[in-house]
Amino acid sequence: MQPDGIVRRRTNAAKSRAAERERGDKIRTQVVIVGAGPAGLLLGRLLENHGVETVILERRSAAYVLGRVRAGVLEQGTVELLERAGVARRLHEDGLVHEGVELRFDGERHRVDFRALAGRTVTVYGQTEVTHDLMDARAASGTATVYEAEQVSLHDFDGASPTVRYVKDGVGHEIVCDFIAGCDGFHGVSRAGVPAAALQTFERVYPFGWLGLMVEKPPFSDELIYANHERGFALCSMRSPHRSRYYVQVPLDERLEDWSDARFWDELRRRLDGETAQRLLTGPALEKSIAPLRSFVAEPMRFGRLFLAGDAAHIVPPTGAKGLNLAMGDVGLLAAGLAEFYEERSEAGIDAYSSRALARVWAAERFSWWMTSLLHRLPDADGFTRRIQRAEFDQLRWSQAAARALAENYTGAFGR
Ligand code: FAS
Ligand code: PHB
């Protein structure tokens, strides 16, 4: 019995397949997962809990994957999924439950009360920690993850017996499987391996990016602050009571080397009102990076025996804190469909996966686009656009319905 109480079965067939892998023979497994980010790792965990065997192929090292700083906010549905996966112990110990968020527009403030308006909360717990918890669980169960797998390529996924090839330490390998899950992010090989005629994509690239900085200093506010200021958007977030994360909107062509810590703190202070700026605790950056903003969706999310999940299928601007949560939602649907296939020999779940996932994806795309349009200084904006932004902000203050819609979308009430 494992620490989380889940009993896992290693059938004789699974043991012999593991031995084949050791010998470098043509390998057989049930599901090959490409990518060991949060989507791939959670899918592997959920399938393992149903006795479905997987192999995860990851291009980078585990240390590299853990070194990426990304999302910070988990919807209630994501927390529940991680609980079902048996990996939520640290999340409940260290995660910070938030019941609301503050919006600012040219210094005026408005708090959106998630609990009162939507009866839900969010949890602040870094994507890095989620990935760490999932990696630890997979390592503890001895399930195969091949890190630094090179030249991964997908074959015959339009038939009943797809194969995946890769090179590890100069040795070529081939895995025969039932299904492939493309969880390899926006720049992965899975979506790229689909014939262009079979795929429809939709995209918006925003004319600005987010310069993010992590600092080992306590946050000055108990909740997140999203600020629309004449100089540009700013976000005050956190990872723990001792570690804060901040973002400022920058032009697309901005260079990271032009942003000293001092310049970052000075710009952030300018986008917060005087009283807040004085409470801001600054220090040396633990991490600093610029991320572009894009809305992107690939349809459908299934091609025969290949399924796309997470950033491999869609991207949202981080303004609505949806990227990681969407990836987790995809995986919850895909894992349920695949488990149903193996346990009940029913294809209903996998047949419905793409349409059900896309309904949630487009709801999150709309909300993330709306939050981005509301809160950023749009470079080509005229006076009309700025006044519409102000009117949107004012409506949130006088209309419970408008504020409730934001609370429901931000906490992921849609489609759960
Ligand atoms: P990921 O990209 O996390 O993981 C894909 C994995 O596949 C990677 O480990 C990659 O190395 C691997 N891979 C790629 N190609 C491969 C190949 N050919 N073979 C094998 N493996 C391969 N979301 C938020 O909600 N809030 C945020 O603040 C936020 N900030 C972000 C900042 C940045 C810079 C980026 C890029 C994204 C951010 N996101 C944010 C979104 C992010 O959190 C994603 O939604 C989340 O990482 C999605 O997880 P995955 O789908 O697992 O994709
Ligand atoms: C973060 O803490 O990194 C974060 C929080 C909320 C967002 C985006 C990023 O909308």
Side-chain angles (χ1 to χ4, degrees):
M1 178 82 80
Q2 300 287 341
D4 53 18
I6 293 169
V7 176
R8 286 179 183 79
R9 300 179 301 283
R10 293 297 299 266
T11 61
N12 289 332
K15 286 177 186 156
S16 68
R17 284 196 286 262
E20 282 170 357
R21 276 197 291 280
E22 291 304 314
R23 290 197 303 270
D25 300 349
K26 182 181 267 197
I27 306 164
R28 173 110 189 76
T29 191
Q30 291 172 306
V31 181
V32 171
I33 299 170
V34 186
L41 288 166
L42 179 60
L43 180 60
R45 178 69 176 184
L46 291 172
L47 290 178
E48 183 191 338
N49 291 348
H50 284 276
V52 178
E53 194 191 63
T54 63
V55 174
I56 295 184
L57 302 176
E58 166 56 50
R59 178 172 62 177
R60 303 286 190 176
S61 67
Y64 184 94
V65 175
L66 285 172
R68 289 191 298 237
V69 177
R70 290 189 172 168
V73 174
L74 304 183
E75 293 172 359
Q76 207 166 292
T78 299
V79 172
E80 290 158 3
L81 202 47
L82 293 170
E83 286 168 347
R84 286 213 307 274
V87 294
R89 180 183 55 77
R90 254 184 4 123
L91 164 55
H92 287 308
E93 286 170 1
D94 301 339
L96 304 172
V97 176
H98 282 202
E99 300 200 352
V101 70
E102 182 178 298
L103 303 184
R104 293 187 181 183
F105 198 101
D106 281 346
E108 291 185 52
R109 305 180 186 188
H110 178 65
R111 181 175 184 268
V112 179
D113 187 333
F114 298 149
R115 174 84 70 191
L117 291 162
R120 299 168 73 88
T121 60
V122 295
T123 301
V124 171
Y125 187 71
Q127 173 173 325
T128 306
E129 305 316 314
V130 173
T131 306
H132 214 298
D133 296 338
L134 287 163
M135 278 184 183
D136 288 352
R138 191 165 178 92
S141 70
T143 314
T145 303
V146 181
Y147 284 99
E148 296 174 300
E150 299 169 323
Q151 302 170 43
V152 173
S153 60
L154 285 53
H155 307 274
D156 306 321
F157 48 80
D158 53 353
S161 191
T163 58
V164 178
R165 296 187 195 126
Y166 68 96
V167 174
K168 171 70 177 171
D169 299 333
V171 177
H173 299 270
E174 182 172 86
I175 308 179
V176 181
C177 54
D178 299 328
F179 298 101
I180 305 169
C183 301
D184 47 348
F186 184 66
H187 301 290
V189 292
S190 299
R191 189 181 74 249
V194 174
L199 201 65
Q200 203 175 1
T201 61
F202 308 85
E203 186 166 41
R204 281 282 182 286
V205 177
Y206 298 88
F208 41 77
W210 279 17
L211 167 59
L213 180 145
M214 189 86 84
V215 65
E216 195 67 26
K217 288 285 183 183
F220 67 82
S221 164
D222 293 338
E223 293 180 332
L224 272 60
I225 298 174
Y226 290 81
N228 179 327
H229 186 275
E230 275 295 333
R231 295 179 64 87
F233 168 81
L235 170 59
C236 302
S237 184
M238 62 196 75
R239 287 293 178 276
S240 77
H242 316 290
R243 181 167 289 195
S244 302
R245 180 129 177 100
Y246 297 102
Y247 297 93
V248 294
Q249 171 188 347
V250 292
L252 254 189
D253 56 2
E254 204 70 355
R255 298 185 316 156
L256 190 60
E257 53 267 31
D258 293 339
W259 282 85
S260 66
D261 293 1
R263 183 185 175 195
F264 180 92
W265 295 122
D266 178 53
E267 186 58 41
L268 179 61
R269 280 197 190 89
R270 290 164 180 248
R271 299 186 188 186
L272 302 169
D273 59 44
E275 180 264 335
T276 309
Q278 276 164 18
R279 286 192 286 128
L280 178 65
L281 296 174
T282 66
L286 295 178
E287 184 271 350
K288 200 162 46 180
S289 55
I290 294 180
L293 270 65
R294 159 198 329 264
S295 298
F296 175 86
V297 180
E299 290 185 359
M301 290 171 57
R302 176 194 186 181
F303 307 88
R305 293 283 179 124
L306 167 63
F307 296 90
L308 300 180
D311 278 18
H314 43 71
I315 297 284
V316 285
T319 327
K322 289 288 156 238
L324 175 60
N325 291 294
L326 264 186
M328 302 285 97
D330 290 350
V331 163
L333 288 172
L334 183 54
L338 289 171
E340 183 187 68
F341 173 84
Y342 284 108
E343 290 165 353
E344 300 168 32
R345 306 313 292 181
S346 159
E347 302 200 10
I350 54 176
D351 288 347
Y353 167 70
S354 181
S355 58
R356 288 183 63 197
L358 284 168
R360 294 180 64 255
V361 166
W362 279 110
E365 290 285 347
R366 182 208 68 83
F367 177 66
S368 304
W369 165 84
W370 178 78
M371 283 281 276
T372 302
S373 308
L374 170 67
L375 292 165
H376 287 77
R377 179 155 182 66
L378 309 176
D380 58 354
D382 56 9
F384 176 84
T385 303
R386 188 89 186 131
R387 283 162 180 74
I388 290 291
Q389 285 183 323
R390 176 75 214 211
E392 284 279 6
F393 177 73
D394 289 339
Q395 192 179 60
L396 290 169
R397 299 198 298 183
W398 60 262
S399 163
Q400 272 237 338
R404 175 168 293 113
L406 190 157
E408 287 172 342
N409 279 279
Y410 194 94
T411 59
F414 175 90
R416 286 290 180 187

